[in-house]
Amino acid sequence: MKERIRISEIFGPTIQGEGPLIGRPTVFVRTGGCDYRCSWCDTLYAVLPEYHDEWTVMTPTEIMARVEGLARGKPVLVSLSGGNPALQPLAPLIALGRRKGHSFALETQGSISQSWFAELDWLILSPKPPSSGMTVDWDGFETCLKMARGQPRCVLKIVVFDDADYSYAQTVAAHYPALPVYLQVGNPAPLVAAGGFTPEEADINDLLQRFRWLVDRVTADRWFAATVLPQLHVLAWGNKRGV
Amino acid sequence: MKERIRISEIFGPTIQGEGPLIGRPTVFVRTGGCDYRCSWCDTLYAVLPEYHDEWTVMTPTEIMARVEGLARGKPVLVSLSGGNPALQPLAPLIALGRRKGHSFALETQGSISQSWFAELDWLILSPKPPSSGMTVDWDGFETCLKMARGQPRCVLKIVVFDDADYSYAQTVAAHYPALPVYLQVGNPAPLVAAGGFTPEEADINDLLQRFRWLVDRVTADRWFAATVLPQLHVLAWGNKRGV
């Protein structure tokens, strides 16, 4: 019997709002559980054990049926997110989906590696910057890259809130010159919210101000290998779930 | 003597706000003159003959010196835009720039083809939809693709204001299944402005509303091959020139 997968939510199709696949229609499969506790995490409902009751344990077949229902049977980009989806046994899901013509992008912080990373179309490695409060295990990160065996397109996506995050991003990018680097403007809403509750409405002006700041930093430094992007879904729909 | 090029403006580095290179740092080289008169053109100063006095005729060496000054000598993505840059003799500029490590993306409506399209890194073909008031010459468009000889990455970028534009985009995309298609939310500011004067401030809420509408259309139709993007520079800086 195939191992079952802990799911927080499956939704879509919507567009991917971040990183190298920005603007691409996708169905999100968000797994439950995470080995990190980032200060500004915007999906605590997929991270904290107190949300455990909201999560569902599903088989690959059940997940794929739900994805195909949402996609009305058309081949679609499946975005595996979390939490940390690398904690889940996703190999059978990916194999099943690929046989049916779907493609898979997985985003993870790079703390946990899996041999099935090599079966992905995209591996988006998002090492957490100082503002997250997390400490990156670079040996684990290296192993993620090794496990990918050059098969999926691998990129770095680094959240930048401030100067310290920016310097960190420069250091990481310099260490991995072969990986395209996407700098993502931080969204302070989860931090601002008291008691873990995030307001649904985004402060667009603040987010665009942060975006301009980051573009200014990158262009002033002539860091031409970096791509600077906001979270498009937050601009469009605020901090609402399910889009 | 090498032919000279009619330039409207050279600026940057900033980020590319549109299409497949969204978020990438770039220097813009905007040529003067256009064979089209799109109703919602946002760069009339690079199109209309009455701005002719503002344009400068420059040699490839002069243009490259300006680009390299802005880029402080680092290899950079050069975005060739207009007006219609296909009207200009750009081959020597591209050859010179490539020898120095720069890369080139050119955006054109596809009305005029040039053999040097094959020397580009990116050819962004932007056939104009019904809302533009223009009629596309598809033979000319086909010739553009032929001239590219499969060398640059070729994509479709189609502006969508309304249902008619959306249907048009679907038809064009169906005709060129090998070309990735980017749908770009229309910016009504140039249309709204009386007498050809565009307000510097963008109506962000309106633009985001249009973006949500377009995402809804694409996802409702399960058109998973399309990428939906706003004009990021307009969200960030409004309709200001030079960013």
Side-chain angles (χ1 to χ4, degrees):
Chain A
M1 202 190 77
K2 281 176 181 162
E3 280 186 277
R4 295 197 295 171
I5 298 161
R6 199 181 306 276
I7 294 294
S8 164
E9 58 183 352
I10 299 174
F11 66 93
T14 182
I15 52 134
Q16 172 57 259
E18 306 179 348
L21 298 164
I22 192 165
R24 300 267 181 99
T26 188
V27 170
F28 281 89
V29 173
R30 189 185 303 287
T31 61
C34 195
D35 47 320
Y36 272 27
R37 294 292 181 273
C38 297
S39 64
W40 34 253
C41 178
D42 57 357
T43 51
L44 284 175
Y45 58 88
V47 168
L48 299 178
E50 48 258 50
Y51 290 90
H52 194 279
D53 290 350
E54 293 181 14
W55 303 342
T56 320
V57 171
M58 295 173 79
T59 65
T61 309
E62 286 166 345
I63 295 169
M64 197 40 62
R66 178 100 178 95
V67 167
E68 297 204 307
L70 292 169
R72 284 201 223 116
K74 286 201 175 178
V76 71
L77 169 68
V78 179
S79 293
L80 301 166
S81 188
N84 185 359
L87 286 166
Q88 303 296 318
L90 297 179
L93 174 68
I94 297 167
L96 176 62
R98 287 181 67 107
R99 277 200 302 276
K100 288 162 164 265
H102 306 292
S103 56
F104 287 86
L106 179 133
E107 177 168 335
T108 180
Q109 59 264 49
S111 53
I112 290 165
S113 55
Q114 299 283 1
S115 59
W116 47 260
F117 282 0
E119 308 305 320
L120 295 163
D121 296 279
W122 289 83
L123 177 61
I124 295 145
L125 292 164
S126 189
K128 301 306 174 190
S131 64
S132 69
M134 295 294 109
T135 305
V136 173
D137 163 12
W138 289 104
D139 289 339
F141 192 89
E142 288 284 343
T143 312
C144 285
L145 280 173
K146 273 192 203 108
M147 289 294 192
R149 298 202 307 274
Q151 294 303 305
R153 293 175 74 167
C154 296
V155 306
L156 287 169
K157 195 183 77 175
I158 304 178
V159 172
V160 177
F161 274 88
D162 53 29
D163 287 335
D165 289 356
Y166 180 79
S167 298
Y168 168 89
Q170 288 187 305
T171 305
V172 175
H175 199 78
Y176 296 103
L179 299 181
V181 58
Y182 291 79
L183 304 183
Q184 178 173 302
V185 179
N187 173 11
L191 268 176
V192 170
F197 182 78
T198 304
E200 277 213 349
E201 194 140 327
D203 184 343
I204 303 285
N205 287 334
D206 175 63
L207 292 171
L208 291 175
Q209 172 62 41
R210 288 168 182 272
F211 177 68
R212 287 189 295 267
W213 169 80
L214 189 50
V215 171
D216 285 347
R217 289 298 305 259
V218 165
T219 54
D221 287 344
R222 284 9 183 211
W223 185 5
F224 295 147
T227 297
V228 188
L229 292 171
Q231 291 175 295
L232 213 43
H233 59 293
V234 178
L235 292 179
W237 293 284
N239 300 303
K240 228 170 91 175
R241 274 178 70 168
V243 279
Chain B
M1 201 188 79
K2 283 181 179 156
E3 280 186 276
R4 295 198 294 171
I5 299 161
R6 199 180 305 278
I7 294 294
S8 164
E9 57 183 352
I10 299 173
F11 65 92
T14 181
I15 53 133
Q16 171 58 259
E18 306 178 348
L21 297 164
I22 193 165
R24 299 268 181 98
T26 186
V27 170
F28 280 89
V29 173
R30 189 184 304 288
T31 61
C34 194
D35 47 320
Y36 272 29
R37 294 292 182 273
C38 297
S39 64
W40 34 253
C41 177
D42 57 357
T43 51
L44 284 174
Y45 58 88
V47 167
L48 299 178
E50 48 259 51
Y51 290 89
H52 193 280
D53 289 351
E54 294 181 14
W55 303 341
T56 320
V57 171
M58 296 173 79
T59 65
T61 309
E62 286 166 345
I63 295 169
M64 198 40 62
R66 178 99 179 97
V67 167
E68 298 204 306
L70 291 169
R72 284 201 223 116
K74 285 200 176 179
V76 71
L77 168 68
V78 180
S79 293
L80 301 167
S81 189
N84 185 359
L87 287 165
Q88 303 298 317
L90 296 180
L93 174 67
I94 296 166
L96 177 62
R98 287 180 66 106
R99 279 200 303 275
K100 288 162 163 267
H102 306 292
S103 55
F104 287 86
L106 179 133
E107 178 168 335
T108 180
Q109 59 263 49
S111 53
I112 290 165
S113 54
Q114 298 283 1
S115 59
W116 47 260
F117 282 1
E119 309 304 321
L120 293 164
D121 296 279
W122 289 83
L123 177 61
I124 294 146
L125 291 164
S126 189
K128 301 305 173 190
S131 64
S132 70
M134 295 293 109
T135 305
V136 173
D137 164 12
W138 289 105
D139 289 340
F141 192 89
E142 288 284 344
T143 312
C144 286
L145 279 174
K146 274 191 202 108
M147 290 294 193
R149 298 203 307 274
Q151 294 303 305
R153 294 174 74 166
C154 296
V155 306
L156 287 169
K157 194 183 77 174
I158 304 178
V159 172
V160 178
F161 274 88
D162 52 30
D163 286 336
D165 289 355
Y166 181 77
S167 299
Y168 168 89
Q170 286 187 306
T171 306
V172 176
H175 199 77
Y176 296 103
L179 299 181
V181 58
Y182 292 79
L183 304 182
Q184 179 173 302
V185 180
N187 173 12
L191 269 175
V192 170
F197 181 80
T198 304
E200 278 214 347
E201 194 141 326
D203 184 343
I204 303 285
N205 287 333
D206 176 63
L207 292 171
L208 291 175
Q209 173 62 40
R210 289 167 181 273
F211 177 69
R212 287 189 294 266
W213 169 80
L214 190 49
V215 171
D216 286 348
R217 288 298 305 262
V218 165
T219 53
D221 288 343
R222 292 350 187 224
W223 185 6
F224 296 147
T227 299
V228 188
L229 291 172
Q231 291 175 293
L232 213 44
H233 58 294
V234 178
L235 293 179
W237 294 284
N239 300 303
K240 229 170 89 175
R241 274 179 70 170
V243 278

